[in-house]
Amino acid sequence: MSLFTHVHAETEMTALTLDSQWQVDLPAASVTFATAYGNFTYPIQLIGSIAHAAGTWMWGWQEDNIERFPTQALRLAQAVLDKGLAVGIPELATPVITLSETPSLVLRLAAQTIGQVSHTLTVDAGRGLSLVFAVDMGQLRPLSSHDLVEVAMQATDLGVTDNHLDALECYARRNGFDYLVTSHDPLTAMVGSPAGGIEIESDEGGRFIGLRERTLQVQRQAS
């Protein structure tokens, strides 16, 4: 899961929840948004929960959740556990994680990558507990040049990776956007979606040092 995909998806989710009423139906493993354009229902999966006072993350596959949530809402969490055991990643196979050691964003990105889902929804469950759900809303919408600039700037501010260019390429290829390296001195790349494009200049380590909107579309499709 690219940081850029995460920010892109969270931007869409914020736009949907901003002017709507929404309700999670745990038995049905779904969330419904009531908007001015009608009601929209999407499947959900429990990724994990955050205990704010304790500063901990508990994975959805943890035994206590099996009694509280329907099986169909825990399939992604089980996939996280299976992957963690298969490849030997302790953070994915340990029921409770201390967030001061591993930020919740890293855990969320890992789950989204394993489940190939983009959107997430955080629900206040009371008593200092937040539930984090993956929401299957289908494909991400194309972004304008201005939106792409905003997504790139927000993603780099998250500080999860130092190689911004690699993360951007992952984002472009996953979402079928055009991606092309146009220069190696300095290292410059272009990304184009059906609605707009941007040009990025980076240093040798892949960190962005320049970012601008582009009106022309890149011609080579990412694959």
Side-chain angles (χ1 to χ4, degrees), residues 97-151:
I97 303 295
T98 301
L99 293 178
S100 61
E101 299 175 358
T102 307
S104 62
L105 175 58
V106 174
L107 302 172
R108 186 182 308 198
L109 287 171
Q112 289 178 257
T113 300
I114 292 168
Q116 290 295 296
V117 294
S118 298
H119 297 82
T120 61
L121 178 67
T122 301
V123 176
D124 182 0
R127 299 183 179 180
L129 184 70
S130 294
L131 302 179
V132 182
F133 293 96
V135 185
D136 183 4
M137 293 176 60
Q139 287 189 326
L140 298 171
R141 66 178 177 86
L143 296 179
S144 68
S145 297
H146 176 75
D147 291 335
L148 282 169
V149 169
E150 290 295 314
V151 164

Side-chain angles (χ1 to χ4, degrees), residues 46 48-49 58-70 74 131:
L46 177 67
S49 59
M58 183 173 72
W59 283 109
W61 54 259
Q62 206 270 350
E63 186 175 355
D64 290 348
N65 290 327
I66 296 176
E67 300 177 357
R68 299 169 51 202
F69 295 92
L74 297 177
L131 302 179

Side-chain angles (χ1 to χ4, degrees), residues 20 31 58 97 213:
S20 66
V31 60
M58 183 173 72
I97 303 295
E213 297 182 23

Side-chain angles (χ1 to χ4, degrees), residues 13 22-25 29-33 40-44 121 135:
M13 180 62 72
W22 53 270
Q23 184 173 1
V24 171
D25 184 343
S30 66
V31 60
T32 298
F33 298 93
F40 300 90
T41 300
Y42 304 101
I44 60 172
L121 178 67
V135 185

